Amino acid sequence: MKIKQFTNEKLGESVFCAVHPSGLEIRVLPKEDYDSAYAIFGVKYGSIDTAVKNDKGEFEGIPEGTAHFLEHKLFESEDLNAFERFAKTGASANAYTSFEKTAYLFKGSSKIDESLEILLDFVQNPFFTQQTVEKEQGIIGQEIRMYQDSPSWQVMFNLLRALYSVHPVRIDIAGTQDSIAKIDADLLYRLYNNFYNPANMVLCVVGGVDPQEIFDIVDRCIKSSEGKKCERKFEKESPLPVQGYVEERLSVAEKQFMLGFKEDISEPLLSLEDEIATSVMIDALTGRSSALFKRLIDEGLVDMGFGGELFNGFGYSCVMFGGTSKDPEKTAEIIKEEIKNAQTNGIDKAAFERSKRKAYGRFVMNYNDIDDTANLLMDMGFNGYEPFAELDACRNLTLEKVQERLAVLKEESAALSVISPIG
């Protein structure tokens, strides 16, 4: 393997990168003063992957929730499960499935080499039986029901269903009761063999490790493969939402809301510059020192939990504002009013500079936490960016670019999701 070193002099950090002959991308950031290490092994397979190419090169639908289901099952084996194996090294292991990826990870302060070997081994050796699959269907079914009773979860997914008509981001990560009932052992093996090939995966290790030792372990443990990166299906969405307002009643003390602005995108992914510019724009508009935040607080419409965020990925992008409110509809109108004002008169330069510095500081602080650093390196790898690219993009960000991103927030593309108390 050819190892390439990326160094950021200001941070005093270096990332060592290589691509294994199997296609696996590896990123290692050693920290001399750290006793612990964090490793994450990610696959570009998430809940939005509800179609896979068949032998004819055509996209074929698969049940919703399979990526999450597969994550649950991969820890099992004919002998000790992965958690029992990690217990012997003292490492804490976990996994998660998001809209665009599934990741397996561990954190430990001793026997890092052994733990890494376990991580690479169990992810590469699936073991499914129809009996264990049926048992898992009951467990995940309970998880789905639990999320259906979660106000914060439902207010977001109700908004996504209001915004998106065809994109699978509108579907719960765990799927539905009906969709997981269609999953069997044969399907899991087929999907595993499609998505879980090293060329579709990234391994990141951060902490008290020696990069060469990590590369040697990978070279020894990764199976040879002729796999290739999986192709995702991109379907152009309408720029308009499915509906402008959706409300659900749950057991809550106060109303919760989420206002979303759907972006009309022609390319599957936003650029890193666009992502950072949008986040800076949101903070300049709604941050703690903004006029909008002060007005909403003064009028008693929101509490300190109010905020905004960019929610984007392959084939989708929207800006969300949310929190609790005694009057979500009035709050939404005030937010829209402030957006129009900023689009007409421009974002305040001082607010832009403040939000830009805040974003840059947040990126820098990521490197103090081995968990955050590893996850950041993985995400950057999946999206094709070199280490530290986010720092350069943020440092070079201009007010003009932020103003350009503000223009994508159009009132006709907005939808409001509300959770109200029962009764």
Side-chain angles (χ1 to χ4, degrees):
M1 284 184 288
K2 183 179 180 181
I3 300 173
K4 187 173 182 181
Q5 180 177 344
F6 295 85
T7 299
N8 184 286
E9 298 293 347
K10 291 184 179 180
L11 288 180
E13 303 277 16
S14 293
V15 179
F16 297 83
C17 302
V19 177
H20 187 264
S22 65
L24 173 67
E25 183 171 350
I26 311 154
R27 297 183 167 201
V28 184
L29 192 156
K31 287 182 173 286
E32 293 182 3
D33 299 330
Y34 280 64
D35 294 326
S36 59
Y38 181 101
I40 189 163
F41 195 15
V43 54
K44 202 169 186 178
Y45 175 37
S47 66
I48 67 168
D49 295 299
T50 55
V52 62
K53 274 197 170 182
N54 57 27
D55 294 337
K56 298 178 181 179
E58 301 169 335
F59 278 105
E60 178 183 313
I62 55 178
E64 299 154 2
T66 50
H68 174 259
F69 201 104
L70 188 50
E71 173 227 312
H72 276 231
K73 300 306 299 172
L74 210 53
F75 280 88
E76 297 179 356
S77 72
E78 291 186 82
D79 301 312
L80 293 177
N81 67 42
F83 290 113
E84 292 170 323
R85 295 173 67 187
F86 278 117
K88 293 185 176 183
T89 66
S92 174
N94 210 336
Y96 66 84
T97 303
S98 66
F99 292 99
E100 298 192 68
K101 62 182 175 289
T102 306
Y104 303 86
L105 56 98
F106 76 83
K107 187 174 184 178
S109 56
S110 63
K111 299 182 179 179
I112 302 303
D113 292 358
E114 291 181 39
S115 293
L116 182 57
E117 290 175 0
I118 294 170
L119 177 67
L120 298 177
D121 179 66
F122 89 81
V123 173
Q124 292 185 94
N125 290 285
F127 175 73
F128 313 128
T129 67
Q130 192 56 33
Q131 182 180 8
T132 59
V133 167
E134 290 172 2
K135 179 181 177 182
E136 197 67 39
Q137 286 168 333
I139 295 171
I140 293 180
Q142 291 178 336
E143 185 177 335
I144 292 171
R145 289 189 291 273
M146 178 186 70
Y147 280 116
Q148 288 173 341
D149 292 330
S150 170
S152 59
W153 192 259
Q154 286 302 105
V155 74
M156 181 183 75
F157 272 97
N158 286 347
L159 175 62
L160 292 175
R161 285 187 282 269
L163 290 174
Y164 293 94
S165 58
V166 294
H167 197 288
V169 74
R170 66 195 300 276
I171 301 159
D172 194 298
I173 290 172
T176 66
Q177 299 282 358
D178 290 340
S179 69
I180 65 170
K182 300 173 185 176
I183 297 173
D184 59 27
D186 289 341
L187 175 63
L188 290 182
Y189 275 117
R190 183 162 69 90
L191 296 177
Y192 176 89
N193 291 330
N194 180 80
F195 290 105
Y196 281 70
N197 68 76
N200 204 44
M201 305 176 80
V202 173
L203 172 70
C204 298
V205 185
V206 179
V209 297
D210 177 82
Q212 188 58 58
E213 289 182 4
I214 299 300
F215 290 121
D216 289 344
I217 292 170
V218 173
D219 204 30
R220 186 171 68 250
C221 296
I222 289 294
K223 297 178 179 179
S224 59
S225 169
E226 296 181 358
K228 59 181 180 179
K229 293 183 179 180
C230 298
E231 184 180 343
R232 277 181 167 149
K233 186 178 182 181
F234 175 61
E235 291 190 67
K236 186 74 168 63
E237 274 270 351
S238 163
L240 301 178
V242 179
Q243 59 189 107
Y245 181 83
V246 58
E247 183 175 1
E248 183 178 359
R249 294 189 179 274
L250 291 172
S251 181
V252 293
E254 298 179 273
K255 289 184 178 181
Q256 297 186 20
F257 79 97
M258 193 165 277
L259 172 67
F261 291 82
K262 180 181 183 180
E263 182 176 355
D264 183 17
I265 58 174
S266 55
E267 297 294 328
L269 290 170
L270 293 184
S271 68
L272 181 60
E273 182 186 22
D274 281 347
E275 285 190 27
I276 294 173
T278 308
S279 295
V280 169
M281 174 267 289
I282 293 169
D283 187 73
L285 280 177
T286 66
R288 295 289 183 266
S289 56
S290 67
L292 172 61
F293 184 78
K294 185 177 185 302
R295 178 182 174 184
L296 293 175
I297 288 289
D298 288 347
E299 294 187 22
L301 288 171
V302 300
D303 57 22
M304 296 300 289
F306 171 75
E309 66 173 318
L310 171 65
F311 179 82
N312 72 302
F314 187 91
Y316 63 94
S317 178
C318 61
V319 172
M320 298 175 169
F321 304 95
T324 60
S325 176
K326 65 181 182 182
D327 191 340
E329 292 179 88
K330 182 178 180 182
T331 302
E333 289 307 312
I334 291 174
I335 294 171
K336 292 176 182 178
E337 178 186 316
E338 182 61 27
I339 290 170
K340 285 182 181 179
N341 179 59
Q343 288 171 336
T344 301
N345 301 314
I347 292 175
D348 179 71
K349 186 175 181 180
F352 158 71
E353 293 291 350
R354 184 168 54 245
S355 296
K356 177 180 173 179
R357 288 194 298 271
K358 183 177 175 181
Y360 190 84
R362 201 162 46 236
F363 285 132
V364 170
M365 289 299 293
N366 275 336
Y367 289 92
N368 290 331
D369 187 290
I370 58 176
D371 307 39
D372 290 343
T373 304
N375 278 277
L376 173 63
L377 290 174
M378 177 180 64
D379 289 340
M380 297 287 281
F382 276 139
N383 290 325
Y385 293 108
E386 294 180 348
F388 310 118
E390 79 285 359
L391 295 171
D392 292 336
C394 190
R395 186 170 54 250
N396 297 326
L397 186 63
T398 65
L399 177 57
E400 289 72 24
K401 182 62 179 179
V402 172
Q403 198 71 39
E404 176 188 310
R405 292 301 297 160
L406 177 63
V408 307
L409 304 186
K410 300 177 180 179
E411 187 168 359
E412 63 268 24
S413 69
L416 176 63
S417 171
V418 176
I419 299 293
S420 296
I422 296 172

